Amino acid sequence: IKKPIIKPRRINLVCDATFFRSRGDKDGLLIFMDAWAGQVLWIKFIESEAKKEYQEGLKYLEDLGFIIVSVTIDGRRGIPTVFNKYPVQVCQFHVQKNILKRTTLKPKSDCGILLKQIGKEFIKDSWSESDFKLCYNLIKEDYKDFLSERNDNNKFKHRQLRSAMTGIKIALPYLFTSLNNLQLRIPNTTNHIDGGINPKLKAIARDHRGMSIPRRNKLMEEMLWDLGQNMIIHPLIFGH
Protein backbone atom coordinates (compact mmCIF):
# COMPACT_ATOMS: atom_id res chain seq x y z
CA ILE A 1 0.00 0.00 0.00
CA LYS A 2 1.45 3.35 -1.04
CA LYS A 3 1.06 5.91 1.74
CA PRO A 4 1.01 9.64 0.99
CA ILE A 5 3.79 11.91 2.16
CA ILE A 6 2.84 13.19 5.60
CA LYS A 7 4.61 16.43 6.46
CA PRO A 8 4.72 17.69 10.05
CA ARG A 9 2.84 20.94 10.44
CA ARG A 10 0.34 22.82 12.60
CA ILE A 11 -2.96 20.92 12.72
CA ASN A 12 -6.39 20.94 14.25
CA LEU A 13 -6.65 17.22 14.92
CA VAL A 14 -9.91 15.28 14.62
CA CYS A 15 -10.11 11.73 15.97
CA ASP A 16 -12.94 9.25 15.56
CA ALA A 17 -13.47 5.51 15.90
CA THR A 18 -16.06 3.47 14.05
CA PHE A 19 -17.13 -0.15 14.35
CA PHE A 20 -18.31 -2.15 11.37
CA ARG A 21 -20.64 -4.52 13.18
CA SER A 22 -21.09 -4.07 16.91
CA ARG A 23 -18.50 -3.17 19.52
CA GLY A 24 -18.76 -6.72 20.81
CA ASP A 25 -17.40 -7.99 17.50
CA LYS A 26 -14.13 -6.15 18.11
CA ASP A 27 -14.01 -4.94 14.52
CA GLY A 28 -13.27 -1.22 14.43
CA LEU A 29 -11.01 1.47 13.04
CA LEU A 30 -9.55 4.57 14.69
CA ILE A 31 -8.66 7.54 12.46
CA PHE A 32 -6.63 10.68 13.16
CA MET A 33 -7.15 13.44 10.58
CA ASP A 34 -5.94 16.96 9.85
CA ALA A 35 -9.31 18.73 9.95
CA TRP A 36 -8.71 21.57 7.53
CA ALA A 37 -6.34 19.84 5.11
CA GLY A 38 -8.62 16.79 5.04
CA GLN A 39 -5.67 14.40 5.21
CA VAL A 40 -5.73 11.14 7.14
CA LEU A 41 -2.58 11.09 9.26
CA TRP A 42 -2.77 7.85 11.24
CA ILE A 43 -5.06 4.82 11.38
CA LYS A 44 -5.30 1.66 13.43
CA PHE A 45 -7.69 -1.28 13.26
CA ILE A 46 -8.89 -1.79 16.82
CA GLU A 47 -10.80 -4.25 18.95
CA SER A 48 -11.97 -1.63 21.44
CA GLU A 49 -11.90 2.16 21.81
CA ALA A 50 -9.33 2.33 24.58
CA LYS A 51 -7.08 5.14 25.83
CA LYS A 52 -3.95 3.25 24.82
CA GLU A 53 -4.97 3.38 21.14
CA TYR A 54 -5.37 7.15 21.26
CA GLN A 55 -2.07 7.47 23.14
CA GLU A 56 -0.34 5.50 20.39
CA GLY A 57 -1.69 7.76 17.65
CA LEU A 58 -0.82 10.91 19.57
CA LYS A 59 2.74 9.75 20.21
CA TYR A 60 3.14 8.94 16.50
CA LEU A 61 2.20 12.49 15.47
CA GLU A 62 4.23 14.14 18.22
CA ASP A 63 7.30 12.08 17.33
CA LEU A 64 6.96 13.18 13.70
CA GLY A 65 7.01 16.81 14.83
CA PHE A 66 3.38 17.84 14.36
CA ILE A 67 2.26 20.96 16.23
CA ILE A 68 -1.18 20.12 17.56
CA VAL A 69 -3.34 23.21 17.94
CA SER A 70 -6.43 21.39 19.18
CA VAL A 71 -8.10 17.97 19.32
CA THR A 72 -11.74 17.20 18.52
CA ILE A 73 -13.08 13.83 19.68
CA ASP A 74 -16.42 12.08 20.11
CA GLY A 75 -16.34 12.36 23.90
CA ARG A 76 -16.02 8.76 25.01
CA ARG A 77 -15.36 8.66 28.76
CA GLY A 78 -11.68 8.95 29.68
CA ILE A 79 -10.40 9.81 26.20
CA PRO A 80 -10.12 13.62 26.73
CA THR A 81 -7.44 13.06 29.38
CA VAL A 82 -5.14 11.54 26.73
CA PHE A 83 -4.94 15.01 25.15
CA ASN A 84 -4.72 17.08 28.33
CA LYS A 85 -1.79 19.09 26.91
CA TYR A 86 -4.06 20.50 24.22
CA PRO A 87 -7.42 22.28 23.91
CA VAL A 88 -10.01 19.50 23.59
CA GLN A 89 -13.42 19.85 21.95
CA VAL A 90 -16.03 17.13 22.40
CA CYS A 91 -18.19 16.61 19.31
CA GLN A 92 -21.36 18.61 19.88
CA PHE A 93 -23.37 16.37 17.56
CA HIS A 94 -22.47 13.30 19.64
CA VAL A 95 -23.65 15.07 22.78
CA GLN A 96 -26.83 16.19 21.05
CA LYS A 97 -27.49 12.69 19.75
CA ASN A 98 -27.08 11.20 23.22
CA ILE A 99 -29.51 13.70 24.77
CA LEU A 100 -32.17 13.17 22.10
CA LYS A 101 -31.79 9.39 22.29
CA ARG A 102 -32.30 9.39 26.07
CA THR A 103 -35.27 11.76 26.04
CA THR A 104 -37.18 9.87 23.28
CA LEU A 105 -39.35 11.42 20.56
CA LYS A 106 -42.17 12.42 22.92
CA PRO A 107 -40.93 12.79 26.50
CA LYS A 108 -43.71 12.55 29.07
CA SER A 109 -42.11 14.35 32.02
CA ASP A 110 -41.32 18.04 32.34
CA CYS A 111 -37.70 17.09 33.00
CA GLY A 112 -37.54 15.10 29.76
CA ILE A 113 -39.17 17.92 27.79
CA LEU A 114 -36.63 20.46 29.05
CA LEU A 115 -33.69 18.16 28.40
CA LYS A 116 -34.94 17.50 24.88
CA GLN A 117 -35.19 21.26 24.34
CA ILE A 118 -31.54 21.65 25.30
CA GLY A 119 -30.58 18.86 22.90
CA LYS A 120 -32.54 20.33 20.00
CA GLU A 121 -31.54 23.96 20.42
CA PHE A 122 -28.02 24.38 21.80
CA ILE A 123 -26.28 23.84 18.44
CA LYS A 124 -28.97 25.32 16.20
CA ASP A 125 -29.24 28.51 18.22
CA SER A 126 -25.49 28.75 19.03
CA TRP A 127 -25.88 28.75 22.79
CA SER A 128 -23.02 30.12 24.84
CA GLU A 129 -21.38 28.04 27.53
CA SER A 130 -23.00 30.17 30.24
CA ASP A 131 -26.49 29.72 28.71
CA PHE A 132 -26.02 25.97 28.48
CA LYS A 133 -24.72 25.66 32.04
CA LEU A 134 -27.59 27.78 33.35
CA CYS A 135 -30.22 25.50 31.79
CA TYR A 136 -28.40 22.33 32.80
CA ASN A 137 -27.96 23.46 36.41
CA LEU A 138 -31.62 24.54 36.67
CA ILE A 139 -32.77 21.10 35.55
CA LYS A 140 -30.28 19.43 37.87
CA GLU A 141 -31.56 21.43 40.85
CA ASP A 142 -35.28 21.58 40.06
CA TYR A 143 -35.59 17.88 39.24
CA LYS A 144 -33.12 16.50 41.75
CA ASP A 145 -35.81 14.60 43.67
CA PHE A 146 -37.53 13.43 40.48
CA LEU A 147 -34.30 12.00 39.05
CA SER A 148 -33.60 10.27 42.38
CA GLU A 149 -36.91 8.38 42.46
CA ARG A 150 -36.63 4.60 42.74
CA ASN A 151 -39.05 1.76 42.00
CA ASP A 152 -40.06 -1.18 44.19
CA ASN A 153 -36.85 -2.97 43.22
CA ASN A 154 -34.79 0.01 44.38
CA LYS A 155 -33.80 0.81 40.79
CA PHE A 156 -33.84 4.36 39.50
CA LYS A 157 -37.13 5.06 37.72
CA HIS A 158 -35.74 7.54 35.21
CA ARG A 159 -32.51 5.87 34.15
CA GLN A 160 -32.53 7.27 30.61
CA LEU A 161 -32.87 10.85 31.82
CA ARG A 162 -30.18 10.26 34.43
CA SER A 163 -27.94 8.93 31.66
CA ALA A 164 -28.58 12.06 29.59
CA MET A 165 -27.64 14.25 32.56
CA THR A 166 -24.50 12.21 33.22
CA GLY A 167 -23.48 12.47 29.56
CA ILE A 168 -23.81 16.25 29.73
CA LYS A 169 -21.82 16.41 32.96
CA ILE A 170 -18.94 14.42 31.42
CA ALA A 171 -18.89 16.43 28.19
CA LEU A 172 -19.43 19.90 29.65
CA PRO A 173 -15.78 20.81 30.39
CA TYR A 174 -14.98 20.23 26.70
CA LEU A 175 -18.25 21.20 25.00
CA PHE A 176 -17.54 24.87 24.23
CA THR A 177 -13.77 24.88 23.67
CA SER A 178 -14.17 25.93 20.03
CA LEU A 179 -16.55 28.77 20.87
CA ASN A 180 -14.27 30.04 23.63
CA ASN A 181 -11.17 29.92 21.39
CA LEU A 182 -12.36 31.18 18.02
CA GLN A 183 -8.84 32.19 17.00
CA LEU A 184 -7.78 28.51 17.00
CA ARG A 185 -10.39 27.48 14.39
CA ILE A 186 -11.31 24.34 16.34
CA PRO A 187 -13.92 22.10 14.67
CA ASN A 188 -16.90 21.60 16.99
CA THR A 189 -17.76 18.18 15.56
CA THR A 190 -16.03 15.05 14.25
CA ASN A 191 -18.04 15.25 11.01
CA HIS A 192 -14.83 15.47 8.97
CA ILE A 193 -14.54 11.73 9.69
CA ASP A 194 -17.92 10.66 11.04
CA GLY A 195 -19.94 12.17 8.20
CA GLY A 196 -17.38 12.08 5.41
CA ILE A 197 -15.18 9.00 5.68
CA ASN A 198 -17.04 6.53 7.90
CA PRO A 199 -19.98 6.03 5.49
CA LYS A 200 -17.50 5.02 2.76
CA LEU A 201 -15.77 2.59 5.11
CA LYS A 202 -19.08 1.05 6.14
CA ALA A 203 -20.05 0.70 2.49
CA ILE A 204 -16.88 -1.33 1.91
CA ALA A 205 -17.71 -3.51 4.92
CA ARG A 206 -21.28 -3.98 3.68
CA ASP A 207 -20.39 -4.65 0.05
CA HIS A 208 -17.62 -7.13 0.88
CA ARG A 209 -19.22 -9.20 3.62
CA GLY A 210 -17.80 -12.44 2.26
CA MET A 211 -14.25 -11.13 2.08
CA SER A 212 -11.74 -12.00 4.78
CA ILE A 213 -11.29 -9.21 7.33
CA PRO A 214 -7.54 -8.75 6.60
CA ARG A 215 -8.27 -8.33 2.89
CA ARG A 216 -11.22 -6.03 3.55
CA ASN A 217 -9.06 -3.94 5.89
CA LYS A 218 -6.47 -3.58 3.15
CA LEU A 219 -9.14 -2.15 0.83
CA MET A 220 -10.14 0.33 3.52
CA GLU A 221 -6.54 1.32 4.12
CA GLU A 222 -5.95 1.88 0.40
CA MET A 223 -9.04 4.11 0.21
CA LEU A 224 -7.94 6.16 3.22
CA TRP A 225 -4.40 6.73 1.98
CA ASP A 226 -5.70 7.57 -1.51
CA LEU A 227 -7.48 10.55 0.05
CA GLY A 228 -4.09 12.14 0.71
CA GLN A 229 -2.09 11.13 -2.36
CA ASN A 230 -2.77 14.22 -4.47
CA MET A 231 -3.21 16.80 -1.75
CA ILE A 232 -1.88 20.30 -2.10
CA ILE A 233 -1.38 21.68 1.40
CA HIS A 234 -1.93 25.42 1.57
CA PRO A 235 1.08 27.24 3.08
CA LEU A 236 -1.12 28.76 5.81
CA ILE A 237 -1.65 25.27 7.20
CA PHE A 238 2.05 25.12 7.96
CA GLY A 239 1.83 28.41 9.81
CA HIS A 240 4.18 30.26 7.40
Side-chain angles (χ1 to χ4, degrees):
I1 297 174
K2 185 180 179 181
K3 295 183 180 181
I5 297 172
I6 297 178
K7 297 181 180 180
R9 55 188 182 268
R10 291 173 58 87
I11 58 168
N12 293 94
L13 182 63
V14 175
C15 312
D16 193 58
T18 189
F19 287 80
F20 303 113
R21 290 174 285 178
S22 69
R23 289 181 183 272
D25 290 318
K26 300 181 179 181
D27 181 19
L29 177 62
L30 177 59
I31 300 173
F32 281 26
M33 171 183 265
D34 177 341
W36 303 121
Q39 185 178 33
V40 173
L41 303 173
W42 179 85
I43 64 172
K44 183 177 182 180
F45 291 96
I46 57 174
E47 293 186 353
S48 64
E49 195 174 352
K51 289 173 68 173
K52 65 179 182 178
E53 317 293 0
Y54 284 85
Q55 288 166 341
E56 180 181 338
L58 177 60
K59 185 176 186 304
Y60 172 80
L61 295 182
E62 289 178 335
D63 287 349
L64 282 179
F66 278 87
I67 299 170
I68 298 172
V69 177
S70 68
V71 184
T72 302
I73 54 177
D74 65 9
R76 188 170 178 81
R77 187 191 289 265
I79 302 303
T81 60
V82 172
F83 304 101
N84 56 15
K85 292 190 292 186
Y86 308 106
V88 173
Q89 170 70 47
V90 162
C91 177
Q92 291 186 345
F93 283 160
H94 277 78
V95 175
Q96 180 186 60
K97 183 178 178 181
N98 182 62
I99 295 171
L100 297 180
K101 177 182 177 182
R102 304 297 179 189
T103 53
T104 71
L105 287 173
K106 295 182 178 180
K108 297 178 181 179
S109 67
D110 289 343
C111 179
I113 291 169
L114 289 173
L115 268 174
K116 187 178 182 70
Q117 185 178 359
I118 288 179
K120 288 177 67 175
E121 295 181 4
F122 85 93
I123 298 177
K124 176 173 66 73
D125 294 341
S126 301
W127 285 17
S128 67
E129 182 175 13
S130 59
D131 288 340
F132 190 100
K133 283 183 174 179
L134 176 63
C135 291
Y136 167 73
N137 287 326
L138 284 173
I139 292 173
K140 182 180 176 183
E141 187 61 33
D142 289 351
Y143 295 95
K144 181 179 179 181
D145 293 339
F146 174 78
L147 291 169
S148 299
E149 289 178 0
R150 294 176 181 266
N151 59 24
D152 293 339
N153 296 319
N154 203 33
K155 302 286 187 181
F156 285 114
K157 283 185 177 181
H158 313 291
R159 282 174 288 179
Q160 293 283 43
L161 297 182
R162 288 178 61 87
S163 179
M165 291 292 286
T166 299
I168 292 173
K169 179 182 177 181
I170 293 169
L172 199 47
Y174 313 100
L175 195 55
F176 293 93
T177 307
S178 60
L179 188 62
N180 295 335
N181 298 274
L182 293 176
Q183 75 282 4
L184 299 182
R185 298 180 68 235
I186 303 172
N188 68 331
T189 76
T190 57
N191 276 8
H192 297 76
I193 300 174
D194 202 30
I197 293 177
N198 286 351
K200 297 175 184 177
L201 294 170
K202 291 187 176 183
I204 291 175
R206 183 180 63 250
D207 296 342
H208 297 86
R209 287 192 190 94
M211 185 180 288
S212 70
I213 289 180
R215 189 177 174 195
R216 183 210 66 189
N217 288 354
K218 186 177 179 181
L219 276 180
M220 291 180 177
E221 193 171 352
E222 288 175 345
M223 188 217 49
L224 289 171
W225 294 132
D226 280 347
L227 291 175
Q229 289 289 4
N230 300 310
M231 285 186 51
I232 299 175
I233 307 295
H234 193 280
L236 285 177
I237 295 172
F238 286 95
H240 295 326

